[in-house]
Amino acid sequence: MKPLIVANWKCNPVSLAEAKQLFDLIEKGIENTEGAEVVICPPFSYLSIINNQLSFIKLGAQDCFWEEKGAYTGEISPPMLKNAGCQYVIIGHSERRKYFNETDEIINKKLKAAIKAGLSPIFCIGETETERKNDEMEKVLKNRLLNGLKDISQSDILNSQFSVAYEPVWAIGTGVACDFNDALGANLFIKKVLSELCDNSTVQQIRILYGGSVKSANAVDFIKKAKMDGLLVGGASLKPDEFIGIIKAVIG
Ligand code: PGA
């Protein structure tokens, strides 16, 4: 499996012109991504425009609703994302939990709806600083995984090209990335929990990504030392040189 490098633009930039410029700079800077799968997750309103410009870069969304359609003001459904050209969708990001009160139950519904629509979910889990200090990292990761994946079959996990992003909340946007050894520990623990739900060949097909203050200087170590199958990049994905640097470092 190629490493999966995902740009999460979050609520940026504020204009379509800036979004196009950012995309163009990234695309020109990479030229080809044979050694990695690169996905850009812009805000919803830029999806279609960026879809029209896509070449080797793939498109993802930052969230989705759990129903297909209906009277749900303000929501965007998985089939809409699929029809807008998305292949991936980030689900359960800690900012969704923090600012929009998303619970494990909501995230479970979103994961099921995304899989049903044929999207590949990038399921985010991670502990807060307090949970880490209280030595609760494993407990939190296990609960998130078991609750998030409740009643999702092994074949759905396999066929959807599901990935799990380990994103320690204290490392997101802080400039303080997780220690490589700790990230390796989290990676192995996530695989251990997944092996309670799926057989080994399926677990090997689930990519485990790291996210939280990734930059060009630390990217390759998360792949090599922490044995991650990819990266979820926030702040650095808004800086073309940094994001290009991350991809180049990973593909070598
Ligand atoms: P960051 O964000 O790279 O800015 O820390 C990562 C994320 O939130 O996915």
Side-chain angles (χ1 to χ4, degrees), residues 122-160:
I122 300 164
F123 174 27
C124 300
I125 56 173
E127 79 287 357
T128 62
E129 190 164 17
T130 311
E131 287 162 344
R132 189 173 192 84
K133 280 187 185 141
N134 294 341
D135 223 4
E136 291 175 338
M137 187 263 274
E138 292 194 349
K139 186 178 124 194
V140 171
L141 296 186
K142 185 167 185 170
N143 280 339
R144 296 274 187 268
L145 283 169
L146 296 183
N147 294 336
L149 293 172
K150 193 164 179 264
D151 300 326
I152 299 180
S153 70
Q154 184 175 181
S155 63
D156 275 349
I157 292 176
L158 189 62
N159 295 334
S160 65

Side-chain angles (χ1 to χ4, degrees), residues 4-13 22 26 38-44 46 57-63 88-96 122 124 165 167 172-173 209-214 231-239 243 246:
L4 181 64
I5 314 290
V6 184
N8 176 10
W9 285 2
K10 307 193 181 185
C11 191
N12 301 291
L22 180 55
I26 291 171
V38 177
V39 180
I40 293 197
C41 301
F44 291 133
Y46 307 145
I57 296 176
K58 294 177 179 165
L59 195 61
Q62 300 171 17
D63 182 33
Y88 287 89
V89 58
I90 297 171
I91 294 183
H93 192 282
S94 61
E95 286 152 16
R96 301 291 317 166
I122 300 164
C124 300
E167 293 215 305
I172 296 177
L209 317 186
Y210 169 79
S213 296
V214 172
L231 302 165
L232 181 49
V233 187
S237 72
L238 297 168
K239 299 179 194 143
F243 191 60
I246 289 169

Side-chain angles (χ1 to χ4, degrees), residues 2 9 11-12 16 18 25 27 38 40 66 79 82-83 96 102 104 116 119 138 148 157 195 223 227 230:
K2 287 180 187 179
W9 285 2
C11 191
N12 301 291
L16 178 59
E18 287 168 285
L25 288 171
E27 194 180 40
V38 177
I40 293 197
W66 62 79
K82 189 80 186 165
N83 291 332
R96 301 291 317 166
E102 286 198 11
D104 288 346
K116 189 169 171 224
L119 294 165
E138 292 194 349
I157 292 176
S195 67
I223 304 291
K227 301 197 182 336

Side-chain angles (χ1 to χ4, degrees), residues 24 86 92 97 104 142 164 173 181 188 193 195 224 249:
D24 286 345
C86 289
R97 287 184 184 270
D104 288 346
K142 185 167 185 170
V164 176
N181 272 328
L188 297 176
V193 177
S195 67
K224 293 216 166 121

Side-chain angles (χ1 to χ4, degrees), residues 61-130:
Q62 300 171 17
D63 182 33
C64 67
F65 187 45
W66 62 79
E67 295 289 349
E68 286 184 7
K69 61 179 182 169
Y72 305 104
T73 304
E75 291 298 334
I76 312 276
S77 78
M80 290 173 189
L81 295 177
K82 189 80 186 165
N83 291 332
C86 289
Q87 190 171 330
Y88 287 89
V89 58
I90 297 171
I91 294 183
H93 192 282
S94 61
E95 286 152 16
R96 301 291 317 166
R97 287 184 184 270
K98 182 174 172 194
Y99 299 114
F100 306 99
N101 304 318
E102 286 198 11
T103 59
D104 288 346
E105 208 182 359
I106 289 174
I107 290 162
N108 175 250
K109 289 205 265 185
K110 291 186 172 189
L111 288 171
K112 287 176 181 159
I115 291 172
K116 189 169 171 224
L119 294 165
S120 299
I122 300 164
F123 174 27
C124 300
I125 56 173
E127 79 287 357
T128 62
E129 190 164 17
T130 311

